[in-house]
Amino acid sequence: MDNHKNESGLPIDFDTFLKVDMRVGKVIEVKENIKARKPAYILTIDFGELGIKTSSAQIVENYSKEKLLNQQVVAVVNFPPKLVAGVKSEVLVLAAVCNTNGTVLLQPNLSVDNGTRIL
């Protein structure tokens, strides 16, 4: 499978890319999602002017609750809310999923303002 192409295999234009609203937010609360089929956390994330949002994320293999708290993460913030394992998931936290290291969060390597847009 080629991970560099969209589902149709065709390139997208820049205007289409800009429709995906990716922002940086700070994790302010982490709880176990006990209703999830696979181990997951319920993350409460501060996106600055965009407000506080929640997400259910299957990232327990590489991240403890303590390690996640106060970390900045990158998430897609303009998907409609979705009920995931009993949680209203309002954003999709982005990660690289690979065979050798599992699920690895995308994070800025320097602190930025919460709500900062990714381009």
Side-chain angles (χ1 to χ4, degrees), residues 68-106:
L68 285 169
L69 196 59
N70 296 315
Q71 291 294 307
Q72 287 191 307
V73 296
V74 176
V76 175
V77 298
N78 64 334
F79 285 135
K82 182 178 181 180
L83 196 60
V84 177
V87 175
K88 181 181 173 186
S89 194
E90 301 172 288
V91 299
L92 175 65
V93 175
L94 298 178
V97 181
C98 68
N99 294 332
T100 54
N101 292 321
T103 304
V104 179
L105 289 171
L106 299 185

Side-chain angles (χ1 to χ4, degrees), residues 24-28 44-53 114-115:
V24 175
K26 183 168 100 175
V27 177
I28 59 173
T44 304
I45 307 168
D46 180 357
F47 288 98
E49 292 183 7
L50 294 175
I52 307 294
K53 309 283 185 186
N114 292 333

Side-chain angles (χ1 to χ4, degrees), residues 26-82:
K26 183 168 100 175
V27 177
I28 59 173
E29 185 177 40
V30 183
K31 297 179 186 175
E32 291 181 32
N33 187 346
I34 58 173
K35 293 184 179 181
R37 284 181 283 134
K38 294 182 180 180
Y41 291 128
I42 300 168
L43 304 179
T44 304
I45 307 168
D46 180 357
F47 288 98
E49 292 183 7
L50 294 175
I52 307 294
K53 309 283 185 186
T54 58
S55 183
S56 180
Q58 295 177 347
I59 54 175
V60 300
E61 64 187 318
N62 286 327
Y63 302 93
S64 67
K65 291 186 284 187
E66 297 77 21
K67 186 175 182 179
L68 285 169
L69 196 59
N70 296 315
Q71 291 294 307
Q72 287 191 307
V73 296
V74 176
V76 175
V77 298
N78 64 334
F79 285 135
K82 182 178 181 180

